[in-house]
Amino acid sequence: MRWDYVILIAIYVITRSAFFIIFGNASWEHDSYEHYYQSKIFSETWNLETLFNTWNKAIFTFISSLLILIHDDIAIVKIFNVLVWLTIILIVYGFLVKKTGSRLLAYLGALICIFDFIGFRASVAALTEASAALLILIGVVYSRRYFGVITL
């Protein structure tokens, strides 16, 4: 078992759980509620105009609409974002270990992802930044692996 991944997951789960225990299901900006509301509308109507309007991000709205069908609460979308951001952290850690060969540098990169302001906000709210960051990161890792475009 890779203990470095277990340690990162434990740090992440503890920090996010502490946030939800202390603050509950609250968000400090209206965007989370608006994204949830738009996803809920799409899950009820399946109208493509709703999916592709100015406010929505199509991939996020589609996935969160499916989750809302399972459990109609903003919390399910927040849990999705927590898992997406955890995936980002693990990809960043793995990429840095392979690219630099330094576990210390990889831990630093992962810890920055865990505690940075935007990442923390995006991972505990129903915001679209987490899924957008994951798509960009997959593109960076994919381009590096297959095309050699990205270098450190």
Side-chain angles (χ1 to χ4, degrees):
M1 173 177 266
R2 299 286 307 262
W3 287 106
D4 42 356
Y5 285 99
V6 173
I7 291 168
L8 288 173
I9 292 169
I11 292 169
Y12 184 76
V13 168
I14 289 168
T15 58
R16 291 342 186 243
S17 298
F19 177 86
F20 285 118
I21 289 169
I22 294 168
F23 296 106
N25 200 14
S27 288
W28 53 84
E29 58 183 72
H30 75 281
D31 286 7
S32 288
Y33 300 106
E34 185 65 29
H35 287 300
Y36 167 73
Y37 178 67
Q38 293 292 328
S39 298
K40 183 169 175 54
I41 290 171
F42 181 70
S43 71
E44 293 170 352
T45 63
W46 298 101
N47 181 348
L48 291 180
E49 289 179 14
T50 305
L51 186 63
F52 294 106
N53 75 16
T54 305
W55 182 262
N56 293 334
K57 313 306 184 273
I59 294 172
F60 174 85
T61 303
F62 183 76
I63 293 170
S64 59
S65 297
L66 296 175
L67 294 171
I68 289 170
L69 289 174
I70 296 169
H71 181 71
D72 187 8
D73 189 8
I74 194 171
I76 192 79
V77 181
K78 291 180 177 185
I79 291 168
F80 168 71
N81 274 351
V82 166
L83 295 175
V84 167
W85 204 259
L86 177 60
T87 304
I88 290 169
I89 291 164
L90 297 178
I91 291 172
V92 164
Y93 178 79
F95 178 78
L96 288 174
V97 165
K98 286 183 181 179
K99 183 64 181 168
T100 67
S102 169
R103 291 202 187 284
L104 182 61
L105 185 58
Y107 270 121
L108 180 61
L111 289 174
I112 289 171
C113 289
I114 291 173
F115 292 108
D116 79 309
F117 180 68
I118 298 297
F120 196 93
R121 281 181 52 196
S123 69
V124 296
L127 299 173
T128 61
E129 282 80 357
S131 55
L134 180 60
L135 290 174
I136 291 168
L137 182 62
I138 288 170
V140 166
V141 171
Y142 178 82
S143 66
R144 169 69 184 118
R145 184 173 294 157
Y146 296 103
F147 301 112
V149 174
I150 305 298
T151 58
L152 289 176

